[in-house]
Amino acid sequence: MSSINNVFEYEKDSQGIVTVTMNMTGPVNAMNAEYRDAMQATIEKLQAEDGLTGVVITSAKKVFFAGGDLNELLAAKPGDEAAFFAMVEKIKSQLRALERLPVPVVAAINGAALGGGFEICLACNYRVAVDSPAVSLGLPEVSLGLLPGGGGIVRMVNLLGLEAALPYLLEGKKADAGRALAAGLIHATVADQSQLVPAAKAWIASQVDNPDAALQPWDHKGHKIPGGSAGSPKLAQLLAIAPAMLAQKTRGLLPAPEKILDCAVEAARLDFDTALRKEGRAFTELVMTPEAKNMITTFFFQLNKINAGASRPDNIAPHTVKKLGVLGAGMMGQGIAYVAAKVGIDVVLKDISMAAAEKGKAYSAKLVEKQVARGRLDLAGAEALLARIQPTERDQDLAGCDLIIEAVFEQIDLKNKITLGTEQYLSDDGFWGSNTSSLPITQLAEASAHPEKFIGIHFFSPVDKMPLVEIICGKKTSDETLARAFDFVRQIKKTPIVVNDSLAFFTSRTFSTYLDEAARMVVEGIHPVVVDNLGKAVGMPVGPLTVHDEVSLELTRKIHQTWADMGVENQWGEHDAMAEIIKTLVVEHGRGGKHYNGGYFDYGDQGKTIWPGLLDKYFDGGNATPEQDIKDRLLFRQVIETLKCLESGVLRSVADANIGSIMGIGAPVHTGGFVQFINTYGLERFRARCAELADAYGERFKCPAIVSEKIERAETFN
């Protein structure tokens, strides 16, 4: 065995088959300068090899290949386009040379091959993978504001056809080994890794008399793309509606999906090598965009930092929850029970009656039925999951729980009563979590005999789908309790952000400014439909009035009443306009939201329409607030509140701010989160725009001092 550039192991056997084992510097194989040099040397050596009968590409790492070097992509900037495009073309030419070798080339896939890793696989004539949960295949670049730039679009379209390829390209759809085999992404699977390279070599040996085995489908004379080329009648309807459907989804804020669709269509129209160049140019353009910089920074670097434990106290042993108590089997409690049981935790789901507790368990049963029907869970697994959830009305069944999570209504007296009555059933080293979204943890912990073991664990609805959990430390919460809460959130496969105590913490406090600013604009006389639509135009997933109806104005009324009773109602700014809206809609007209006779909107068979009474009372046809001001007010209120949380210590890190704002609040994805937004908007420009908005609409838009401090130090938010 020899090595190429000390990173690719090169071994030729007696049958003339060369096995290239990628073993790059560092924990993973990545498409960086080291890779490009090693691949070039490998190609040249293979091209000069005597008696070559086949090539196997495999990996010495747990992950087959991790994809592109995102540090390299992040560093690329406008002005670097020519050099960057040349680098992309080099990668493409190497993969093109690999697939044009006169012998069959096999990818022996032992682990995840995503992005650039899967593009290497696609450049091989045959792909065999271990049938293991560790194997994940796909092209997820769109989630980072990019497109597959190593030939992934062109090869996928030529392999599967345009229509079948689009979910993998536009949605970043991934497949395990079994699904990849069924979809035609790979050709075979083996049971374990020891069989992988032998299977690859066996296939090569079986193709000795088949010269076509060394030809890619698209290099065969007369190759036809499955499903037809872009000009075929079969695809005409798809191509007519796809751009409009995509624009409706991205709202023009995400350039990557549009460029992916364009490149995919061109791949079904142009010759193979011309389509590759088109893809390379589009990739180069995207790498330079602020959207890509934002998404790479947040969804890769900051998300990985959080999940790796940056917010977890050091030197505390890992902890696993074995028995969980959930108090309250309503919407939140039943979701918590499900995600815990799904990872093997025994759950006691308690409510005031057995009927209520069993109804809560029934939620898990419905989710499990869907998974069985879709082939994602077998009957034995379904039965085991449900068996782990014990519905009960008895406090005593909580005995020995490592963790109890209270998930009842946002009423401090009720929560305190439950803490006093059931905390005694925790195991000796157990801890208590409150799933409150708005009440101060320090104050709730006053009812606990062990406030150091009391912490906020704020889930988002629906729990089974929402990836984030906000962990809130009270003044007396110990580091050990924080570490255990963090470990629990990772145990149930969620992403934890850690914040310090505050009224409504970070996510609820910041999200409420979105609703509040919308209410102000309605009271000012701006048409409610304009307010709602421009919230979506900014990039929020749902308009502010629509989402307020969904979460319920009645809930807002109750929370504000609780805050008033606690003497903290206007702690983070006055809510006069919101109080006015609540008074009009909820108190005077019984309109508490979508599930309470309607709210801002009426709901009927024809969909939702603005409640006429809202227009009668508030709409002013002469209001001339500029559209851009409306959009900026809805976005900047949330960004400013995030900055206030950061400078006051409620937020502990920029990463928590960005991930929390996107996963918990719905911050526009293209911004990379509310703090990252400022980096690409420009700190000085942001400060100036805040001043304009403050002059026109009030002091709530005053730029927090932390921005000026960063400007003076010539820093950005990292």
Side-chain angles (χ1 to χ4, degrees):
M1 180 186 295
S2 61
S3 69
I4 296 176
N5 294 16
N6 297 317
V7 294
F8 279 15
E9 296 162 5
Y10 187 103
E11 183 178 21
K12 185 177 180 183
D13 68 12
S14 58
Q15 275 70 51
I17 299 173
V18 169
T19 300
V20 178
T21 304
M22 298 180 290
N23 190 13
M24 297 176 64
T25 305
V28 296
N29 299 311
M31 207 168 266
N32 54 21
E34 183 181 69
Y35 159 83
R36 292 190 293 274
D37 290 345
M39 180 58 85
Q40 186 63 38
T42 300
I43 295 293
E44 291 172 3
K45 188 169 183 179
L46 288 170
Q47 289 172 332
E49 189 73 63
D50 288 330
L52 185 68
T53 60
V55 180
V56 178
I57 308 287
T58 191
S59 170
K61 312 287 189 182
K62 289 182 179 179
V63 170
F64 176 81
F65 198 96
D69 183 344
L70 293 177
N71 282 301
E72 202 169 56
L73 301 185
L74 205 57
K77 59 187 183 301
D80 297 340
E81 287 88 351
F84 189 88
F85 178 68
M87 181 194 74
V88 172
E89 287 295 282
K90 180 177 181 179
I91 292 171
K92 288 175 180 287
S93 69
Q94 290 171 349
L95 294 181
R96 198 74 178 106
L98 184 71
E99 66 185 357
R100 281 176 160 167
L101 288 171
V103 297
V105 181
V106 180
I109 308 165
N110 62 303
L114 298 170
F118 191 52
E119 288 178 304
I120 293 171
C121 298
L122 288 171
C124 297
N125 304 105
Y126 189 80
R127 294 171 289 280
V128 56
V130 179
D131 191 2
S132 158
V135 171
S136 180
L137 308 173
L139 299 165
E141 284 88 345
V142 68
S143 65
L144 297 177
L146 301 170
L147 58 73
I153 295 177
V154 181
R155 289 188 175 88
M156 284 290 276
V157 169
N158 276 270
L159 179 69
L160 301 180
L162 179 60
E163 188 170 6
L166 285 179
Y168 296 97
L169 302 173
L170 288 175
E171 301 165 22
K173 179 181 176 182
K174 301 173 188 175
D176 59 20
R179 288 189 175 87
L181 181 63
L185 298 178
I186 61 175
H187 300 87
T189 61
V190 295
D192 61 64
Q193 190 164 336
S194 65
Q195 300 171 320
L196 190 57
V197 172
K201 289 185 174 184
W203 181 81
I204 291 171
S206 73
Q207 302 300 311
V208 169
D209 298 321
N210 178 17
D212 284 351
L215 277 179
Q216 291 281 53
W218 39 89
D219 286 328
H220 278 83
K221 188 175 181 179
H223 166 66
K224 293 186 184 300
I225 294 174
S229 65
S232 68
K234 287 183 180 179
L235 291 178
Q237 186 176 2
L238 171 67
L239 296 182
I241 63 172
M245 291 177 63
L246 192 61
Q248 185 177 25
K249 187 174 181 180
T250 66
R251 301 170 201 162
L253 299 169
L254 294 167
E258 294 179 6
K259 284 200 178 292
I260 288 171
L261 179 61
D262 181 42
C263 289
V265 172
E266 292 298 285
R269 177 179 289 135
L270 301 171
D271 69 87
F272 190 86
D273 290 298
T274 303
L276 283 178
R277 283 196 298 277
K278 165 89 176 177
E279 178 193 276
R281 290 192 188 100
F283 180 63
T284 300
E285 290 175 30
L286 283 177
V287 166
M288 306 301 164
T289 63
E291 291 85 358
K293 305 298 187 194
N294 288 339
M295 295 170 75
I296 292 169
T297 296
T298 301
F299 297 126
F300 184 80
F301 290 106
Q302 293 182 351
L303 182 58
N304 285 347
K305 181 179 177 182
I306 285 172
N307 284 333
S311 300
R312 186 188 188 278
D314 294 330
N315 304 318
I316 295 175
H319 181 264
T320 300
V321 171
K322 296 183 175 63
K323 183 178 180 181
L324 170 70
V326 179
L327 306 180
M331 182 173 63
M332 299 301 288
Q334 63 195 16
I336 296 168
Y338 169 76
V339 297
K342 187 177 179 182
V343 299
I345 299 172
D346 291 327
V347 181
V348 178
L349 181 58
K350 181 191 176 296
D351 212 305
I352 56 174
S353 70
M354 194 65 181
E358 288 177 337
K359 184 179 178 182
K361 180 175 179 176
Y363 176 80
S364 291
K366 288 180 182 178
L367 292 178
V368 164
E369 282 175 22
K370 288 179 182 177
Q371 290 191 55
V372 171
R374 293 170 183 166
R376 295 178 181 173
L377 190 65
D378 59 26
L379 287 173
E383 290 174 3
L385 189 157
L386 293 174
R388 286 192 282 270
I389 301 175
Q390 176 191 351
T392 186
E393 59 186 354
R394 290 165 24 96
D395 289 347
Q396 295 90 329
D397 290 334
L398 297 164
C401 283
D402 308 297
L403 167 63
I404 293 176
I405 297 176
E406 158 272 301
V408 301
F409 297 118
E410 291 289 276
Q411 297 171 4
I412 194 164
D413 291 342
L414 174 62
K415 289 178 181 288
N416 287 347
K417 178 182 176 183
I418 286 172
T419 303
L420 287 166
T422 55
E423 187 181 42
Q424 61 186 299
Y425 295 106
L426 279 169
S427 63
D428 290 342
D429 62 348
F431 65 106
W432 184 277
S434 176
N435 177 52
T436 179
S437 62
S438 62
L439 301 177
I441 293 301
T442 302
Q443 204 162 337
L444 288 173
E446 291 174 1
S448 171
H450 302 284
E452 74 281 1
K453 295 183 177 182
F454 195 106
I455 196 165
I457 306 179
H458 175 207
F459 288 84
F460 297 80
S461 182
V463 176
D464 56 289
K465 293 180 180 177
M466 296 294 280
L468 189 77
V469 175
E470 185 177 29
I471 299 174
I472 309 102
C473 296
K475 286 184 178 177
K476 294 185 178 179
T477 303
S478 70
D479 278 355
E480 183 173 12
T481 298
L482 169 55
R484 291 187 171 197
F486 190 98
D487 292 347
F488 167 69
V489 174
R490 296 299 294 139
Q491 186 181 350
I492 59 173
K493 304 187 187 307
K494 301 288 186 186
T495 293
I497 63 166
V498 179
V499 304
N500 290 323
D501 202 13
S502 161
L503 187 68
F505 324 127
F506 163 55
T507 54
S508 297
R509 170 178 161 180
T510 301
F511 178 64
S512 70
T513 64
Y514 180 53
L515 308 183
D516 181 75
E517 198 60 31
R520 286 171 184 267
M521 288 190 266
V522 170
V523 172
E524 288 170 13
I526 301 173
H527 198 292
V529 171
V530 171
V531 175
D532 211 46
N533 286 344
L534 291 181
K536 289 191 292 183
V538 168
M540 297 294 289
V542 184
L545 309 184
T546 297
V547 75
H548 204 172
D549 267 9
E550 291 281 351
V551 300
S552 103
L553 290 103
E554 170 61 15
L555 177 60
T556 299
R557 186 197 67 77
K558 288 179 178 177
I559 290 172
H560 280 215
Q561 185 59 55
T562 298
W563 288 351
D565 294 343
M566 295 167 62
V568 295
E569 186 174 14
N570 290 317
Q571 186 171 341
W572 306 120
E574 57 89 4
H575 294 90
D576 290 356
M578 181 62 75
E580 163 73 11
I581 286 290
I582 295 299
K583 178 174 176 290
T584 298
L585 291 176
V586 184
V587 179
E588 294 178 2
H589 295 280
R591 301 183 62 81
K594 185 175 181 180
H595 302 289
Y596 296 90
N597 192 39
Y600 286 107
F601 296 92
D602 282 327
Y603 298 87
D605 295 337
Q606 304 304 313
K608 72 179 196 292
T609 55
I610 284 291
W611 175 54
L614 196 67
L615 298 177
D616 293 341
K617 186 171 179 66
Y618 296 116
F619 177 54
D620 175 8
N623 187 297
T625 304
E627 184 177 292
Q628 190 60 49
D629 282 10
I630 295 172
K631 292 163 71 173
D632 284 352
R633 286 173 65 179
L634 291 170
L635 180 58
F636 275 57
R637 271 296 300 277
Q638 299 180 84
V639 174
I640 289 167
E641 200 65 32
T642 301
L643 289 172
K644 289 178 180 177
C645 289
L646 190 62
E647 69 179 0
S648 66
V650 173
L651 278 165
R652 295 181 168 201
S653 74
V654 169
D656 283 335
N658 287 327
I659 292 298
S661 63
I662 287 179
M663 291 185 174
I665 300 171
V669 170
H670 71 280
T671 66
F674 286 144
V675 176
Q676 177 61 21
F677 163 75
I678 305 166
N679 289 338
T680 48
Y681 190 88
L683 273 68
E684 292 189 11
R685 181 182 168 214
F686 177 80
R687 183 172 64 180
R689 183 57 174 152
C690 285
E692 293 173 356
L693 293 171
D695 287 344
Y697 303 106
E699 282 294 296
R700 64 190 179 280
F701 289 105
K702 183 179 178 182
C703 187
I706 191 173
V707 176
S708 293
E709 292 167 7
K710 291 286 184 183
I711 292 170
E712 288 169 12
R713 294 196 295 267
E715 296 175 353
T716 55
F717 288 96
N718 298 307

